[in-house]
Amino acid sequence: MFDDEGATLRVLGIDPGLTRCGFAVVDAAKPSKLTALSLGVFRTSPSEEIPSRLADLQRDIADLIDEFTPQVVAVERLFFQVNVRTAMSVGQASGVVLSQAALAGCRVVQYTPNEVKQAVAGYGAADKAQVQRMVQQRLQLSSPPKPADAADAAALALCFLSHEPVGRAISKAIGGTR
């Protein structure tokens, strides 16, 4: 993806959630030249019915994909949740995101929180503040991104960009394309 002179790879990172869904759009002209184009959070009201909230989230994700046209969407994989209610709403939000990204023709990848922390902070048990500081540093932001959902979304995009060169090399070695 970085072989062509001047080619840019655009990655949308999504930290799915029903009340707060973090997003970050990151451009990579090459693995070391990163630019954050947009960071933020979509919010839905807990007082609304879940179908309406999911529809709102779907529209927001569709608009974001239409505006920035990412080639890749990196989404946090639901790995483990103690709170079943939270896990259900995150799973529903994640399904909306995965579906919308696939419909838009984006390559979709998923990473567990530990994979993201390892790739971004070098430590799979890094805390939120460490992830925020590393995102700030890697994207050359003036301050750590807030809220944490936006920082987590940026970390997902950075995780993909960290893994992509290795994945491409493996694919090329076994005769695949990526």
Side-chain angles (χ1 to χ4, degrees):
M1 297 227 179
F2 301 108
D3 293 339
D4 299 332
E5 185 80 25
T8 298
L9 176 62
R10 183 163 292 166
V11 181
L12 169 60
I14 299 284
D15 180 27
L18 192 53
T19 301
R20 289 179 325 274
C21 180
F23 67 87
V25 181
V26 176
D27 270 1
K30 49 187 167 180
S32 60
K33 174 103 171 80
L34 306 174
T35 305
L37 300 180
S38 184
L39 290 136
V41 174
F42 296 124
R43 298 178 190 276
T44 66
S45 173
S47 65
E48 291 185 33
E49 294 292 321
I50 288 176
S52 295
R53 295 170 71 190
L54 291 170
D56 289 344
L57 180 60
Q58 185 273 333
R59 280 189 291 277
D60 289 338
I61 296 297
D63 290 345
L64 189 66
I65 290 172
D66 286 346
E67 179 179 354
F68 289 101
T69 60
Q71 289 102 334
V72 178
V73 178
V75 183
E76 183 172 286
R77 174 176 284 148
L78 185 59
F79 187 62
F80 177 75
Q81 285 281 348
V82 174
N83 183 329
V84 174
R85 186 175 181 153
T86 300
M88 289 295 293
S89 66
V90 170
Q92 290 169 322
S94 182
V96 165
V97 171
L98 295 171
S99 174
Q100 191 59 45
L103 282 171
C106 301
R107 178 175 168 201
V108 181
V109 295
Q110 291 183 280
Y111 301 104
T112 66
N114 287 3
E115 289 174 314
V116 174
K117 292 173 187 179
Q118 180 68 40
V120 174
Y123 177 55
D127 63 26
K128 293 274 187 194
Q130 289 170 314
V131 171
Q132 285 174 301
R133 282 193 304 276
M134 290 307 296
V135 166
Q136 175 190 4
Q137 182 181 6
R138 300 250 333 255
L139 294 177
Q140 299 179 9
L141 303 173
S142 59
S143 61
K146 293 186 180 176
D149 307 281
D152 290 347
L156 280 150
L158 293 171
C159 181
F160 171 79
L161 292 166
S162 293
H163 284 115
E164 178 60 6
V166 173
R168 283 183 53 233
I170 291 169
S171 182
K172 188 175 180 181
I174 61 172
T177 58
R178 200 162 205 191

